Amino acid sequence: MPVPTKIPIDAEKLQSEIDELALISENPAPVVTRVLFSEADLKARAFVKGLCQNAGLVLREDAVGNIFATWLGTEKNLPPVATGSHIDAIPNAGKFDGVVGVLGAIEAIRALQKAGFQPKRSVEIIVFTAEEPTRFGIGCLGSRLLAGALSLEKAAQLRDSQGKSLEEWRKSTGFNEKELGTIKLKKDFYAAFVELHIEQGPLLEKENIAIGVVEKIAAPSTLQIQLTGSGGHAGAVLMPGRRDALLAGAEIALAVEKSALESGSPDTVATTGVFRIEPGAVNSIPCRAWLEIDLRDTQVKTRDLALLNVEKSIHEICQRRNIQFDLKRLNVDAPALCDSVLVQTVLDNCRTINLSVKKMVSRAYHDSLFMAQICPTTMIFIPCRDGVSHRPDEFSSTEQIKNGVIVLAKTLSQLSAE
Ligand code: GLV
Ligand code: MN
Ligand code: MN
């Protein structure tokens, strides 16, 4: 079947669905918070599954809640073409991160259906479970398990800040009918994976370019640390000999910043994004602290150097301050290289429809980081205002989103017609 030249994207409908989904949140608008397995996350899943059903897609879910919505092709024995992203959102987020890639994929399929296109290979939308690390400390939980990049032993050890395990969450949400071991996909289960996403950085907007095509995704890593000192009365315990967990944590956070500044690479970024203390009373010395540290780079060498320096600092600071610590490397991932043929396909598609385009590196991570381990993968980026993301004022215009969906639809039609 020839690929359609005219793809009638209904950008207004897509925008209203993005707006509607944004209202399913743990916080009042414009804040979007949808932490994995929260009531908002479960409601948002139901909303998206409803849209998929209305589009005639066949639904299935796996043992960690990854959702697969399939537009059946005429040749069911061929590996499908996949697209998709995530709908979970970190606390205090906006409405476009991940969502554009999920709802945009549904609109891309609806538009291809309207154009009379019938795919040869099935086209599958994946709504990945927990791209965001909020609940369990590690990102891309669903895609890691699909790619076999997270061992079942490590998955069994995952706990949220209340101590509730992944297994307990699977039970309470009803995803436990199948074992976690059933999630992993065979290599090349998919013919290709293409993810549409907002850039989450400023380059496309600055250079007035409509589309970015991702060639590489930076290498992320996460450390989790629990610090234990000793508490006591803020008035009665004199300063010598105190074992204040917060102060050790504060020194560690500064060492984290230093590790990035001194890695020798401008691409190293390091953030202490979680810092909780106990007991959290103004007249009580903090006896315990929990930190989560995010450290990334486009190059593994400088990322690893910074990581080692942070770990050395933690040892030194805790020894000097007589603080016990429990340090875990939650994840230390390689960067992903995208498939050069797919990158070229997307570039050519943009040029055919006169959209300005450039190749890019993604500094944010995405489920594509893990999909790239099992099939040819690339990403389509659209600009976002001032490069802002992970904030309620995150914004891409209806027109910018429409551009991304047209490129996605065109690419999916080509890949599924072969
Ligand atoms: C994804 O949300 C990231 O933190 O890069
Ligand atoms: Mn995000
Ligand atoms: Mn995202």
Side-chain angles (χ1 to χ4, degrees):
M1 148 133 325
V3 300
T5 44
K6 271 221 156 341
I7 305 176
I9 306 294
D10 189 343
E12 304 310 318
K13 178 172 176 160
L14 171 56
Q15 183 65 60
S16 73
E17 288 166 351
I18 293 172
D19 295 342
E20 200 178 335
L21 180 51
L23 297 176
I24 307 177
S25 167
E26 295 168 54
N27 297 107
V31 175
V32 179
T33 302
R34 274 193 302 265
V35 177
L36 171 68
F37 297 147
S38 63
E39 206 182 309
D41 179 47
L42 298 176
K43 272 194 191 151
R45 287 163 180 268
F47 173 79
V48 170
K49 285 193 281 187
L51 295 183
C52 291
Q53 269 161 338
N54 291 343
L57 309 183
V58 178
L59 287 168
R60 67 176 198 279
E61 281 165 317
D62 69 13
V64 77
N66 288 314
I67 300 168
F68 304 83
T70 309
W71 183 18
L72 289 171
T74 50
E75 299 207 11
K76 299 183 183 53
N77 51 342
L78 289 178
V81 172
T83 182
S85 195
H86 62 99
I87 55 168
D88 65 322
I90 64 161
N92 206 40
K95 61 179 164 183
F96 300 94
D97 175 4
V99 166
V100 165
V102 172
L103 300 188
I106 298 172
E107 178 51 30
I109 288 182
R110 288 189 303 226
L112 289 171
Q113 290 170 338
K114 260 190 246 158
F117 178 71
Q118 170 62 58
K120 188 165 151 189
R121 292 171 191 276
S122 296
V123 180
E124 200 146 282
I125 299 174
I126 311 176
V127 186
F128 294 97
T129 282
E131 190 268 354
E132 302 291 5
T134 315
R135 173 144 332 263
F136 291 117
I138 90 171
C140 300
L141 178 61
S143 51
R144 264 178 213 278
L145 287 162
L146 284 175
L150 178 68
S151 70
L152 300 181
E153 295 72 45
K154 271 201 154 176
Q157 285 162 15
L158 292 175
R159 297 272 183 289
D160 68 11
S161 59
Q162 308 302 309
K164 186 166 171 179
S165 69
L166 174 59
E167 214 41 44
E168 287 167 320
W169 273 110
R170 284 190 341 108
K171 213 181 253 170
S172 56
T173 49
F175 288 118
N176 65 332
E177 276 178 23
K178 288 190 226 144
E179 298 296 316
L180 276 185
T182 58
I183 297 170
K184 185 177 166 189
L185 296 177
K186 284 201 303 275
K187 204 167 171 349
D188 295 322
F189 177 88
Y190 289 115
F193 178 72
V194 182
E195 180 173 2
L196 172 64
H197 206 283
I198 60 168
E199 181 199 343
Q200 305 185 283
L203 300 182
L204 291 173
E205 182 184 65
K206 244 188 216 152
E207 298 170 36
N208 198 20
I209 292 177
I211 300 288
V213 189
V214 175
E215 287 189 293
K216 182 176 180 180
I217 304 174
S221 63
T222 315
L223 298 178
Q224 193 175 56
I225 175 165
Q226 178 178 329
L227 303 170
T228 309
S230 70
H233 195 289
V237 181
L238 293 179
M239 297 312 284
R242 278 197 186 193
R243 300 170 61 225
D244 183 323
L246 177 143
L247 293 179
E251 273 202 60
I252 289 169
L254 290 174
V256 167
E257 179 192 37
K258 192 159 175 261
S259 77
L261 292 173
E262 295 180 356
S263 78
S265 156
D267 295 316
T268 316
V269 282
T271 309
T272 304
V274 171
F275 195 151
R276 299 196 313 273
I277 57 163
E278 245 181 32
V282 68
N283 53 355
S284 178
I285 300 163
C287 58
R288 241 187 299 273
W290 291 264
L291 280 71
E292 287 176 23
I293 296 160
D294 176 309
L295 208 161
R296 324 177 183 200
D297 199 323
T298 52
Q299 305 299 326
V300 168
K301 200 167 156 208
T302 36
R303 192 273 313 268
D304 285 352
L305 177 71
L307 200 55
L308 279 178
N309 282 338
V310 168
E311 290 174 337
K312 256 194 243 162
S313 301
I314 292 171
H315 282 88
E316 185 277 313
I317 292 162
C318 289
Q319 192 170 30
R320 176 163 43 76
R321 288 185 168 272
N322 193 16
I323 297 285
Q324 284 167 358
F325 68 92
D326 177 19
L327 173 62
K328 287 197 185 89
R329 284 183 169 202
L330 289 188
N331 62 293
V332 180
D333 301 308
L337 282 183
C338 294
D339 182 77
S340 58
V341 177
L342 267 188
V343 168
Q344 193 57 47
T345 304
V346 180
L347 281 172
D348 292 345
N349 283 341
C350 293
R351 291 183 182 130
T352 319
I353 52 177
N354 288 322
L355 284 176
S356 49
V357 61
K358 69 178 265 176
K359 294 186 195 173
M360 315 193 63
V361 170
S362 173
R363 292 177 182 279
Y365 59 71
H366 304 279
D367 295 299
S368 288
L369 185 69
F370 295 97
M371 293 307 284
Q373 296 183 7
I374 54 169
C375 66
T377 294
T378 190
M379 299 187 69
I380 299 167
F381 274 0
I382 58 166
C384 55
R385 190 175 58 201
D386 299 329
V388 163
S389 185
H390 283 184
R391 279 174 27 184
D393 54 339
E394 181 179 82
F395 178 77
S396 294
S397 70
T398 308
E399 197 56 33
Q400 288 168 328
I401 296 169
K402 183 179 180 185
N403 288 338
V405 176
I406 292 174
V407 177
L408 177 66
K410 210 169 164 45
T411 307
L412 292 176
S413 66
Q414 284 165 345
L415 297 172
S416 63
E418 288 166 1

mmCIF file with all atom_site columns, all heavy atoms in Angstrom, residues 27-41:
data_model
loop_
_atom_site.group_PDB
_atom_site.id
_atom_site.type_symbol
_atom_site.label_atom_id
_atom_site.label_alt_id
_atom_site.label_comp_id
_atom_site.label_asym_id
_atom_site.label_entity_id
_atom_site.label_seq_id
_atom_site.pdbx_PDB_ins_code
_atom_site.Cartn_x
_atom_site.Cartn_y
_atom_site.Cartn_z
_atom_site.occupancy
_atom_site.B_iso_or_equiv
_atom_site.pdbx_formal_charge
_atom_site.auth_seq_id
_atom_site.auth_comp_id
_atom_site.auth_asym_id
_atom_site.auth_atom_id
_atom_site.pdbx_PDB_model_num
ATOM 1   N N   . ASN A 1 27 ? -2.050 17.351 41.737 1.00 0.00 ? 27 ASN A N   1
ATOM 2   C CA  . ASN A 1 27 ? -2.054 18.747 42.179 1.00 0.00 ? 27 ASN A CA  1
ATOM 3   C C   . ASN A 1 27 ? -2.938 19.582 41.263 1.00 0.00 ? 27 ASN A C   1
ATOM 4   O O   . ASN A 1 27 ? -3.114 19.234 40.096 1.00 0.00 ? 27 ASN A O   1
ATOM 5   C CB  . ASN A 1 27 ? -0.633 19.334 42.148 1.00 0.00 ? 27 ASN A CB  1
ATOM 6   C CG  . ASN A 1 27 ? 0.302  18.637 43.109 1.00 0.00 ? 27 ASN A CG  1
ATOM 7   O OD1 . ASN A 1 27 ? 1.167  17.888 42.715 1.00 0.00 ? 27 ASN A OD1 1
ATOM 8   N ND2 . ASN A 1 27 ? 0.094  18.869 44.391 1.00 0.00 ? 27 ASN A ND2 1
ATOM 9   N N   . PRO A 1 28 ? -3.455 20.719 41.783 1.00 0.00 ? 28 PRO A N   1
ATOM 10  C CA  . PRO A 1 28 ? -4.316 21.552 40.931 1.00 0.00 ? 28 PRO A CA  1
ATOM 11  C C   . PRO A 1 28 ? -3.547 22.151 39.754 1.00 0.00 ? 28 PRO A C   1
ATOM 12  O O   . PRO A 1 28 ? -2.346 22.412 39.856 1.00 0.00 ? 28 PRO A O   1
ATOM 13  C CB  . PRO A 1 28 ? -4.791 22.665 41.879 1.00 0.00 ? 28 PRO A CB  1
ATOM 14  C CG  . PRO A 1 28 ? -4.238 22.388 43.222 1.00 0.00 ? 28 PRO A CG  1
ATOM 15  C CD  . PRO A 1 28 ? -3.300 21.234 43.149 1.00 0.00 ? 28 PRO A CD  1
ATOM 16  N N   . ALA A 1 29 ? -4.270 22.370 38.616 1.00 0.00 ? 29 ALA A N   1
ATOM 17  C CA  . ALA A 1 29 ? -3.661 22.951 37.418 1.00 0.00 ? 29 ALA A CA  1
ATOM 18  C C   . ALA A 1 29 ? -3.040 24.314 37.755 1.00 0.00 ? 29 ALA A C   1
ATOM 19  O O   . ALA A 1 29 ? -3.544 25.005 38.634 1.00 0.00 ? 29 ALA A O   1
ATOM 20  C CB  . ALA A 1 29 ? -4.743 23.125 36.357 1.00 0.00 ? 29 ALA A CB  1
ATOM 21  N N   . PRO A 1 30 ? -1.959 24.730 37.122 1.00 0.00 ? 30 PRO A N   1
ATOM 22  C CA  . PRO A 1 30 ? -1.342 24.069 35.971 1.00 0.00 ? 30 PRO A CA  1
ATOM 23  C C   . PRO A 1 30 ? -0.321 22.994 36.339 1.00 0.00 ? 30 PRO A C   1
ATOM 24  O O   . PRO A 1 30 ? 0.367  22.488 35.467 1.00 0.00 ? 30 PRO A O   1
ATOM 25  C CB  . PRO A 1 30 ? -0.638 25.234 35.269 1.00 0.00 ? 30 PRO A CB  1
ATOM 26  C CG  . PRO A 1 30 ? -0.212 26.125 36.397 1.00 0.00 ? 30 PRO A CG  1
ATOM 27  C CD  . PRO A 1 30 ? -1.279 26.002 37.448 1.00 0.00 ? 30 PRO A CD  1
ATOM 28  N N   . VAL A 1 31 ? -0.230 22.660 37.622 1.00 0.00 ? 31 VAL A N   1
ATOM 29  C CA  . VAL A 1 31 ? 0.781  21.664 38.010 1.00 0.00 ? 31 VAL A CA  1
ATOM 30  C C   . VAL A 1 31 ? 0.304  20.265 37.603 1.00 0.00 ? 31 VAL A C   1
ATOM 31  O O   . VAL A 1 31 ? -0.838 19.899 37.846 1.00 0.00 ? 31 VAL A O   1
ATOM 32  C CB  . VAL A 1 31 ? 1.024  21.700 39.534 1.00 0.00 ? 31 VAL A CB  1
ATOM 33  C CG1 . VAL A 1 31 ? 1.980  20.599 39.954 1.00 0.00 ? 31 VAL A CG1 1
ATOM 34  C CG2 . VAL A 1 31 ? 1.550  23.061 39.945 1.00 0.00 ? 31 VAL A CG2 1
ATOM 35  N N   . VAL A 1 32 ? 1.193  19.507 36.989 1.00 0.00 ? 32 VAL A N   1
ATOM 36  C CA  . VAL A 1 32 ? 0.890  18.109 36.696 1.00 0.00 ? 32 VAL A CA  1
ATOM 37  C C   . VAL A 1 32 ? 1.827  17.241 37.537 1.00 0.00 ? 32 VAL A C   1
ATOM 38  O O   . VAL A 1 32 ? 3.049  17.396 37.470 1.00 0.00 ? 32 VAL A O   1
ATOM 39  C CB  . VAL A 1 32 ? 1.082  17.785 35.194 1.00 0.00 ? 32 VAL A CB  1
ATOM 40  C CG1 . VAL A 1 32 ? 0.772  16.305 34.938 1.00 0.00 ? 32 VAL A CG1 1
ATOM 41  C CG2 . VAL A 1 32 ? 0.194  18.665 34.330 1.00 0.00 ? 32 VAL A CG2 1
ATOM 42  N N   . THR A 1 33 ? 1.243  16.389 38.358 1.00 0.00 ? 33 THR A N   1
ATOM 43  C CA  . THR A 1 33 ? 2.006  15.393 39.129 1.00 0.00 ? 33 THR A CA  1
ATOM 44  C C   . THR A 1 33 ? 1.290  14.064 38.945 1.00 0.00 ? 33 THR A C   1
ATOM 45  O O   . THR A 1 33 ? 0.109  13.955 39.278 1.00 0.00 ? 33 THR A O   1
ATOM 46  C CB  . THR A 1 33 ? 2.043  15.757 40.634 1.00 0.00 ? 33 THR A CB  1
ATOM 47  O OG1 . THR A 1 33 ? 2.618  17.056 40.803 1.00 0.00 ? 33 THR A OG1 1
ATOM 48  C CG2 . THR A 1 33 ? 2.869  14.749 41.420 1.00 0.00 ? 33 THR A CG2 1
ATOM 49  N N   . ARG A 1 34 ? 1.974  13.107 38.370 1.00 0.00 ? 34 ARG A N   1
ATOM 50  C CA  . ARG A 1 34 ? 1.366  11.770 38.219 1.00 0.00 ? 34 ARG A CA  1
ATOM 51  C C   . ARG A 1 34 ? 2.446  10.736 38.493 1.00 0.00 ? 34 ARG A C   1
ATOM 52  O O   . ARG A 1 34 ? 3.124  10.248 37.585 1.00 0.00 ? 34 ARG A O   1
ATOM 53  C CB  . ARG A 1 34 ? 0.818  11.573 36.785 1.00 0.00 ? 34 ARG A CB  1
ATOM 54  C CG  . ARG A 1 34 ? -0.584 12.092 36.564 1.00 0.00 ? 34 ARG A CG  1
ATOM 55  C CD  . ARG A 1 34 ? -1.192 11.601 35.268 1.00 0.00 ? 34 ARG A CD  1
ATOM 56  N NE  . ARG A 1 34 ? -0.414 11.965 34.110 1.00 0.00 ? 34 ARG A NE  1
ATOM 57  C CZ  . ARG A 1 34 ? -0.617 13.040 33.350 1.00 0.00 ? 34 ARG A CZ  1
ATOM 58  N NH1 . ARG A 1 34 ? -1.591 13.878 33.629 1.00 0.00 ? 34 ARG A NH1 1
ATOM 59  N NH2 . ARG A 1 34 ? 0.155  13.273 32.321 1.00 0.00 ? 34 ARG A NH2 1
ATOM 60  N N   . VAL A 1 35 ? 2.604  10.440 39.773 1.00 0.00 ? 35 VAL A N   1
ATOM 61  C CA  . VAL A 1 35 ? 3.640  9.495  40.165 1.00 0.00 ? 35 VAL A CA  1
ATOM 62  C C   . VAL A 1 35 ? 3.130  8.081  39.887 1.00 0.00 ? 35 VAL A C   1
ATOM 63  O O   . VAL A 1 35 ? 1.937  7.793  40.053 1.00 0.00 ? 35 VAL A O   1
ATOM 64  C CB  . VAL A 1 35 ? 4.003  9.694  41.653 1.00 0.00 ? 35 VAL A CB  1
ATOM 65  C CG1 . VAL A 1 35 ? 5.029  8.655  42.100 1.00 0.00 ? 35 VAL A CG1 1
ATOM 66  C CG2 . VAL A 1 35 ? 4.550  11.102 41.869 1.00 0.00 ? 35 VAL A CG2 1
ATOM 67  N N   . LEU A 1 36 ? 4.035  7.221  39.472 1.00 0.00 ? 36 LEU A N   1
ATOM 68  C CA  . LEU A 1 36 ? 3.706  5.831  39.157 1.00 0.00 ? 36 LEU A CA  1
ATOM 69  C C   . LEU A 1 36 ? 2.763  5.220  40.187 1.00 0.00 ? 36 LEU A C   1
ATOM 70  O O   . LEU A 1 36 ? 3.027  5.262  41.391 1.00 0.00 ? 36 LEU A O   1
ATOM 71  C CB  . LEU A 1 36 ? 5.012  5.011  39.115 1.00 0.00 ? 36 LEU A CB  1
ATOM 72  C CG  . LEU A 1 36 ? 4.833  3.495  39.000 1.00 0.00 ? 36 LEU A CG  1
ATOM 73  C CD1 . LEU A 1 36 ? 4.261  3.107  37.659 1.00 0.00 ? 36 LEU A CD1 1
ATOM 74  C CD2 . LEU A 1 36 ? 6.146  2.782  39.277 1.00 0.00 ? 36 LEU A CD2 1
ATOM 75  N N   . PHE A 1 37 ? 1.680  4.628  39.698 1.00 0.00 ? 37 PHE A N   1
ATOM 76  C CA  . PHE A 1 37 ? 0.695  3.879  40.490 1.00 0.00 ? 37 PHE A CA  1
ATOM 77  C C   . PHE A 1 37 ? -0.125 4.759  41.451 1.00 0.00 ? 37 PHE A C   1
ATOM 78  O O   . PHE A 1 37 ? -0.858 4.235  42.292 1.00 0.00 ? 37 PHE A O   1
ATOM 79  C CB  . PHE A 1 37 ? 1.335  2.718  41.273 1.00 0.00 ? 37 PHE A CB  1
ATOM 80  C CG  . PHE A 1 37 ? 1.955  1.657  40.394 1.00 0.00 ? 37 PHE A CG  1
ATOM 81  C CD1 . PHE A 1 37 ? 3.091  0.948  40.807 1.00 0.00 ? 37 PHE A CD1 1
ATOM 82  C CD2 . PHE A 1 37 ? 1.420  1.347  39.146 1.00 0.00 ? 37 PHE A CD2 1
ATOM 83  C CE1 . PHE A 1 37 ? 3.669  -0.038 39.994 1.00 0.00 ? 37 PHE A CE1 1
ATOM 84  C CE2 . PHE A 1 37 ? 1.990  0.368  38.335 1.00 0.00 ? 37 PHE A CE2 1
ATOM 85  C CZ  . PHE A 1 37 ? 3.116  -0.322 38.760 1.00 0.00 ? 37 PHE A CZ  1
ATOM 86  N N   . SER A 1 38 ? 0.021  6.083  41.367 1.00 0.00 ? 38 SER A N   1
ATOM 87  C CA  . SER A 1 38 ? -0.877 6.955  42.135 1.00 0.00 ? 38 SER A CA  1
ATOM 88  C C   . SER A 1 38 ? -2.250 6.863  41.492 1.00 0.00 ? 38 SER A C   1
ATOM 89  O O   . SER A 1 38 ? -2.396 6.367  40.365 1.00 0.00 ? 38 SER A O   1
ATOM 90  C CB  . SER A 1 38 ? -0.378 8.404  42.095 1.00 0.00 ? 38 SER A CB  1
ATOM 91  O OG  . SER A 1 38 ? -0.408 8.845  40.734 1.00 0.00 ? 38 SER A OG  1
ATOM 92  N N   . GLU A 1 39 ? -3.264 7.408  42.189 1.00 0.00 ? 39 GLU A N   1
ATOM 93  C CA  . GLU A 1 39 ? -4.606 7.401  41.625 1.00 0.00 ? 39 GLU A CA  1
ATOM 94  C C   . GLU A 1 39 ? -4.603 8.145  40.273 1.00 0.00 ? 39 GLU A C   1
ATOM 95  O O   . GLU A 1 39 ? -5.246 7.708  39.316 1.00 0.00 ? 39 GLU A O   1
ATOM 96  C CB  . GLU A 1 39 ? -5.530 8.096  42.617 1.00 0.00 ? 39 GLU A CB  1
ATOM 97  C CG  . GLU A 1 39 ? -6.954 7.653  42.519 1.00 0.00 ? 39 GLU A CG  1
ATOM 98  C CD  . GLU A 1 39 ? -7.821 8.414  43.505 1.00 0.00 ? 39 GLU A CD  1
ATOM 99  O OE1 . GLU A 1 39 ? -7.443 8.462  44.700 1.00 0.00 ? 39 GLU A OE1 1
ATOM 100 O OE2 . GLU A 1 39 ? -8.845 8.954  43.063 1.00 0.00 ? 39 GLU A OE2 1
ATOM 101 N N   . ALA A 1 40 ? -3.848 9.243  40.214 1.00 0.00 ? 40 ALA A N   1
ATOM 102 C CA  . ALA A 1 40 ? -3.808 10.025 38.969 1.00 0.00 ? 40 ALA A CA  1
ATOM 103 C C   . ALA A 1 40 ? -3.178 9.210  37.837 1.00 0.00 ? 40 ALA A C   1
ATOM 104 O O   . ALA A 1 40 ? -3.647 9.234  36.691 1.00 0.00 ? 40 ALA A O   1
ATOM 105 C CB  . ALA A 1 40 ? -3.023 11.313 39.193 1.00 0.00 ? 40 ALA A CB  1
ATOM 106 N N   . ASP A 1 41 ? -2.130 8.473  38.156 1.00 0.00 ? 41 ASP A N   1
ATOM 107 C CA  . ASP A 1 41 ? -1.479 7.639  37.128 1.00 0.00 ? 41 ASP A CA  1
ATOM 108 C C   . ASP A 1 41 ? -2.464 6.592  36.612 1.00 0.00 ? 41 ASP A C   1
ATOM 109 O O   . ASP A 1 41 ? -2.583 6.368  35.400 1.00 0.00 ? 41 ASP A O   1
ATOM 110 C CB  . ASP A 1 41 ? -0.225 6.977  37.724 1.00 0.00 ? 41 ASP A CB  1
ATOM 111 C CG  . ASP A 1 41 ? 0.497  6.062  36.722 1.00 0.00 ? 41 ASP A CG  1
ATOM 112 O OD1 . ASP A 1 41 ? 0.711  6.482  35.578 1.00 0.00 ? 41 ASP A OD1 1
ATOM 113 O OD2 . ASP A 1 41 ? 0.832  4.920  37.090 1.00 0.00 ? 41 ASP A OD2 1
#
